[in-house]
Amino acid sequence: MFVNPQTSRRLHSHIHGFVFLLLISFRMISSGYKIRLCAESVVKMYQIVSATVGDIGIGAMSCYSPPKRNRVSRPSRSLITASSLGVILVLSAMVAWCYYYASLQKANRLTTERLDLNKDGFVIRNQAGVVIFKMAFRSGTLDLDSCSKEGQILTCDKSIAGNINFFIEAVKPKDTVECYRVRWDELEEHRVVEHVMSCSGSHWYGGAETWSQHWPIVVKGQQTPKPFITGDIRYNHQAFGGILERYWLSSNATAIKINNSVPFHLGWDETNRTLWFQARYDDSPYRPDPGSPQHVTLSYRVCVGLDVTSIHKYMVRRYFNKPNKVPSEVVFRQPMWSTRALEEVNQEKILKYASDIQKNGFNCSHLELYDRFTSGYGDFELDPIKFPNASAMFQKLREDGFQVTLWTHPFVNYNSVNFGVGVERGLFVRVPDSQLPALVRWWNGIAGILDFTNPEARDWYALKLRTLKNKYAVASFKFDAGETSYLPHQFSTFAPLQDPSTFTRRYTEMAIPFNDRAELRSGYQSQNISCFFRIIDRDSLWGYTLGLKSIIPTVLTISILGYQFVLPDIIGGNAYSNLTGFPDRELYIRWLELSAFMPAMQFSLPPWHYDDEVVNIAKKFIALHKSLVAPRVLELAGEVLYTGDPIIRPLWWIATDDEAAYKIDSQFLIGDDLLVAPVLEPGKQERDIYLPAGRWRSYKGEYFDKGPICLTDYPVDLDEVAYFVWSG
């Protein structure tokens, strides 16, 4: 049994006091016995005798005998006093013992398995007794006198603020895993529950895509808790990203999963290295169950395992959805091409773009028509001016071996021919207590947003997509947006959204009928949708803020969240911040090389935009992707259906005892046996490479078997990526 230090000190104090009182009691009782013996001696020395006439002294003074009275002698009074004191002290000792015993019992009932509860929070220890997890109660402290223990459940019904329902239950789902279910219910309305998790002493991973992505998580500044909902981090740098889950994982082999029913807000504090988990309804987009009191509950589960890899495997198998099929194999093997980089999108330009792909000797899994092909946003027909003979265009592309996908989104602009239809049929998210559509602003104008909680809206949207698919024999769709942040601040939906991110989940479900080649960029509890999930648009930059360096941390993060069929966005980025409109040549090459080791590759700006050397490097890495990477990825993709394990893995996956592996964000594993270390710095043709313990063979044929080892300034030419295969 582990007892927290505060309780231990209190118990030691009670023990010392109890022993001290016992010693005094025995001393006083002993002293009373000695006083009685002394009094008897005095009586014997001064015995009273009969006096005669003329005698003086005691004998003469004894002539007069007053009436006899029953008096207590001085020695007897002393004895009684001493005895009374002794009794009082013995009673005090007994009280002290009872208090000590009660404290001991309370210490016992506030401990379960390896968790110690106190009024301010709780800690969890490992088998060696070392604290590996700390959670503090920030919104209130427990009244420990209201706490009790039954079996492995600790319960309390009072805090300093009032009545609550609080419990921690220890469960052991398997021999190597211990879990603790924690729940705090406030019984009065308009209360907030906030717990604070310490990140000190370990590295943490998970949560969400972010504008500046790091691996492990870097806590910067201070943020009061804000709604943990899907958002577009391109337009709001402070938002959480389009793919998120309420799950975090620690290098201390601990993991925490916030329950889906919690109105969850997340904050943090750099100074104390803490994450703040808050539940509230006031000033929040979360809504309580209609007809129920607004009682707030914060509930979560903390699980502890033998190492970080094994505990993550347990959590994924227990709490995450799994895809039910692997998307189209050809997308894993051959690159896809997007028309995003074209200055104009029309029939002539698209046919030329497809022709150039083949003329330059490149293959293609499919061609994606991105944006600007309809007359208005919200229309589901190609613009007849831009595409005078759309059917002939699609026929020509099919004859040339191109499968085609189309870009789609959940918005219907107010000037679209379908806006009036949507208003009349109630297909849009509405203004509260009204039938009017709640207009929203997105990057292409002002629109109504389809209400995917409404079966009629879902059917209407699905019918429009099927009609397009059947009319032009398109292969699938690229589903853009879908983040909760595009909902208005106040809104009403057909089915009430207690958790706003459920909107994202409902939108991603629209991709299911087209999932062989479908692409999504948002996800919440969507791991079972067998589509490719694209990370948010990257800028044509080198750094961590949506640049090249952010790709590995982002892919690792969403892989830990259970999304394994990952698209790392278009090669070279989107040139949003580049004054020339095109990515730097060296940046484009290094981006291309990294993408070759991802599950799938995606071009938009073509390699021939630069020069023949870039074209040759592109062909080299497309071939390497097809021969080396794709077979491994497809094998792992089949395993994902049953395990949910990442395809792209961090180095610590195979090196759980290696502290250095927990901090590396520029290398990754494909499975357990292929280690990749791309160059991510401008002007560099060398890099430091960390190899975990084992025997590794480099792409150059070198062997390294003294591990772990750091290769300093390992040479990597502009047309190379350093990679190593584990060889035993």
Side-chain angles (χ1 to χ4, degrees):
M1 176 188 73
F2 294 102
V3 180
N4 65 57
Q6 182 179 356
T7 303
S8 178
R9 287 193 296 270
R10 188 169 66 245
L11 296 184
H12 281 99
S13 174
H14 295 331
I15 292 170
H16 293 157
F18 169 67
V19 172
F20 178 71
L21 288 171
L22 282 180
L23 289 174
I24 291 178
S25 301
F26 291 135
R27 185 74 172 263
M28 290 300 296
I29 293 170
S30 175
S31 297
Y33 176 69
K34 291 178 180 178
I35 291 170
R36 183 176 59 81
L37 291 179
C38 180
E40 290 176 353
S41 299
V42 171
V43 171
K44 288 180 179 178
M45 287 176 59
Y46 297 98
Q47 289 182 347
I48 299 174
V49 299
S50 301
T52 58
V53 178
D55 287 342
I56 60 171
I58 293 178
M61 293 166 53
S62 300
C63 294
Y64 173 75
S65 298
K68 291 185 178 181
R69 298 174 57 188
N70 293 327
R71 298 181 58 193
V72 178
S73 66
R74 292 182 183 274
S76 298
R77 288 200 300 272
S78 300
L79 179 60
I80 291 172
T81 301
S83 299
S84 299
L85 286 173
V87 169
I88 291 170
L89 292 172
V90 168
L91 290 174
S92 299
M94 293 174 65
V95 170
W97 165 255
C98 292
Y99 185 69
Y100 158 72
Y101 183 75
S103 299
L104 186 63
Q105 291 296 101
K106 178 172 287 187
N108 181 56
R109 75 167 177 261
L110 298 184
T111 300
T112 179
E113 292 295 331
R114 280 187 272 272
L115 181 145
D116 295 339
L117 175 68
N118 60 59
K119 65 183 180 65
D120 298 314
F122 64 89
V123 299
I124 300 174
R125 304 172 187 272
N126 61 17
Q127 292 181 345
V130 177
V131 173
I132 57 173
F133 184 87
K134 296 180 181 178
M135 186 72 83
F137 304 145
R138 191 167 186 265
S139 56
T141 59
L142 293 174
D143 178 356
L144 295 185
D145 290 331
S146 73
C147 300
S148 61
K149 178 181 178 182
E150 182 174 348
Q152 295 300 313
I153 303 178
L154 303 176
T155 61
C156 305
D157 55 28
K158 289 183 183 297
S159 72
I160 59 169
N163 294 332
I164 61 169
N165 285 330
F166 172 84
F167 78 81
I168 297 179
E169 179 183 10
V171 293
K172 198 162 186 176
K174 54 189 298 187
D175 290 342
T176 57
V177 176
E178 292 177 0
C179 292
Y180 301 90
R181 295 175 55 221
V182 182
R183 183 183 179 101
W184 183 306
D185 296 321
E186 282 290 347
L187 300 183
E188 296 185 21
E189 295 186 9
H190 309 297
R191 289 274 182 85
V192 172
V193 183
E194 187 173 306
H195 293 179
V196 177
M197 184 182 77
S198 173
C199 296
S200 297
S202 61
H203 307 289
W204 285 87
Y205 313 91
E209 278 187 284
T210 56
W211 179 64
S212 182
Q213 196 88 48
H214 293 274
W215 180 272
I217 292 170
V218 174
V219 178
K220 290 185 177 180
Q222 186 177 78
Q223 173 65 54
T224 56
K226 59 185 180 180
F228 192 69
I229 57 177
T230 56
D232 186 342
I233 52 178
R234 284 213 54 81
Y235 293 95
N236 180 1
H237 298 168
Q238 306 306 314
F240 301 110
I243 298 176
L244 58 73
E245 299 293 335
R246 302 171 170 198
Y247 172 72
W248 287 266
L249 177 69
S250 162
S251 59
N252 274 346
T254 58
I256 182 168
K257 176 71 170 62
I258 310 296
N259 286 358
N260 296 336
S261 60
V262 174
F264 181 52
H265 299 68
L266 179 68
W268 55 85
D269 180 16
E270 178 181 5
T271 303
N272 297 311
R273 292 207 69 229
T274 53
L275 294 180
W276 300 349
F277 301 148
Q278 186 188 84
R280 76 169 192 265
Y281 288 119
D282 290 349
D283 189 27
S284 170
Y286 294 96
R287 298 290 179 264
D289 188 12
S292 299
Q294 294 189 22
H295 294 166
V296 173
T297 296
L298 177 60
S299 56
Y300 50 89
R301 183 176 295 237
V302 181
C303 292
V304 181
L306 296 179
D307 58 65
V308 61
T309 302
S310 64
I311 192 61
H312 177 67
K313 286 184 175 183
Y314 168 77
M315 298 296 284
V316 167
R317 286 154 177 74
R318 175 68 178 81
Y319 295 109
F320 286 176
N321 298 317
K322 313 291 185 303
N324 56 22
K325 61 179 289 188
V326 176
S328 172
E329 285 193 16
V330 69
V331 182
F332 290 99
R333 297 185 186 278
Q334 299 179 6
M336 64 182 74
W337 296 76
S338 171
T339 63
R340 183 184 183 97
L342 298 183
E343 293 182 2
E344 293 181 68
V345 175
N346 57 43
Q347 186 167 325
E348 179 185 355
K349 297 290 185 183
I350 288 174
L351 287 173
K352 183 179 186 307
Y353 186 65
S355 175
D356 287 345
I357 292 171
Q358 292 184 324
K359 284 181 181 178
N360 284 279
F362 290 91
N363 53 20
C364 175
S365 65
H366 62 260
L367 177 66
E368 173 191 281
L369 269 62
Y370 177 81
D371 202 354
R372 297 174 291 168
F373 57 82
T374 60
S375 300
Y377 292 106
D379 297 352
F380 289 86
E381 184 54 79
L382 273 68
D383 185 337
I385 297 175
K386 294 181 178 180
F387 301 91
N389 194 343
S391 295
M393 181 189 73
F394 283 105
Q395 178 66 30
K396 171 63 173 170
L397 290 171
R398 284 196 301 275
E399 290 173 355
D400 291 342
F402 288 95
Q403 296 284 338
V404 180
T405 63
L406 299 178
W407 176 73
T408 186
H409 52 80
F411 306 104
V412 178
N413 278 19
Y414 70 90
N415 57 352
S416 165
V417 295
N418 286 317
F419 186 79
V421 175
V423 173
E424 182 180 350
R425 296 177 59 178
L427 304 181
F428 298 129
V429 173
R430 304 184 307 277
V431 174
D433 302 318
S434 170
Q435 297 303 311
L436 296 175
L439 297 181
V440 299
R441 181 181 295 277
W442 66 300
W443 64 89
N444 278 324
I446 306 296
I449 185 167
L450 290 169
D451 180 1
F452 293 104
T453 72
N454 183 346
E456 187 176 353
R458 293 164 67 91
D459 291 345
W460 181 85
Y461 184 65
L463 178 61
K464 292 294 184 182
L465 296 183
R466 284 198 306 272
T467 301
L468 268 177
K469 186 177 188 299
N470 295 333
K471 183 175 182 179
Y472 298 114
V474 299
S476 190
F477 297 91
K478 170 194 175 83
F479 292 82
D480 213 347
E483 295 89 354
T484 302
S485 60
Y486 283 108
L487 294 173
H489 184 65
Q490 297 291 333
F491 65 90
S492 175
T493 51
F494 179 84
L497 290 176
Q498 293 174 252
D499 179 354
S501 291
T502 304
F503 178 85
T504 296
R505 165 69 192 179
R506 295 290 170 262
Y507 176 61
T508 60
E509 290 169 351
M510 301 306 300
I512 292 176
F514 315 100
N515 58 12
D516 255 9
R517 297 171 188 258
E519 174 187 330
L520 289 159
R521 83 167 196 188
S522 57
Y524 176 66
Q525 301 174 13
S526 307
Q527 299 95 332
N528 63 321
I529 298 176
S530 303
C531 299
F532 287 93
F533 285 84
R534 176 177 62 87
I535 64 178
I536 194 69
D537 304 16
R538 304 287 113 172
D539 277 337
S540 298
L541 302 169
W542 289 90
Y544 286 103
T545 53
L546 301 184
L548 179 61
K549 284 185 179 179
S550 72
I551 292 178
I552 295 175
T554 304
V555 171
L556 289 174
T557 295
I558 66 174
S559 295
I560 286 295
L561 299 179
Y563 298 88
Q564 311 307 344
F565 307 138
V566 183
L567 281 177
D569 199 30
I570 59 176
I571 290 167
N574 291 272
Y576 293 126
S577 304
N578 196 308
L579 296 178
T580 66
F582 300 107
D584 171 75
R585 179 179 184 273
E586 182 188 7
L587 175 65
Y588 184 90
I589 292 171
R590 292 306 192 188
W591 207 302
L592 161 66
E593 293 166 350
L594 169 58
S595 293
F597 288 86
M598 289 289 156
M601 301 177 69
Q602 186 177 31
F603 285 97
S604 184
L605 183 67
W608 56 87
H609 168 80
Y610 295 96
D611 51 47
D612 289 343
E613 183 184 13
V614 176
V615 169
N616 291 332
I617 291 173
K619 290 180 178 179
K620 170 184 174 180
F621 279 96
I622 289 172
L624 184 64
H625 176 85
K626 184 177 181 180
S627 63
L628 175 68
V629 177
R632 277 178 165 81
V633 167
L634 282 167
E635 180 182 356
L636 294 165
E639 296 175 6
V640 166
L641 309 184
Y642 308 99
T643 66
D645 291 345
I647 294 173
I648 305 299
R649 300 173 180 176
L651 263 60
W652 52 251
W653 191 266
I654 61 169
T656 57
D657 293 329
D658 190 340
E659 174 63 21
Y662 286 108
K663 296 178 283 187
I664 292 176
D665 66 352
S666 61
Q667 300 176 211
F668 59 93
L669 296 164
I670 302 176
D672 290 346
D673 60 354
L674 180 57
L675 185 151
V676 185
V679 173
L680 306 175
E681 297 278 355
K684 297 287 187 180
Q685 295 199 25
E686 68 281 324
R687 64 155 294 165
D688 294 345
I689 298 173
Y690 188 81
L691 298 177
R695 192 166 192 257
W696 297 92
R697 177 175 56 83
S698 79
Y699 67 107
K700 299 177 182 179
E702 309 154 304
Y703 283 90
F704 302 92
D705 54 8
K706 293 180 180 179
I709 186 173
C710 183
L711 307 177
T712 305
D713 292 334
Y714 187 84
V716 185
D717 291 341
L718 182 60
D719 65 343
E720 293 182 326
V721 169
Y723 64 90
F724 302 78
V725 177
W726 190 79
S727 58

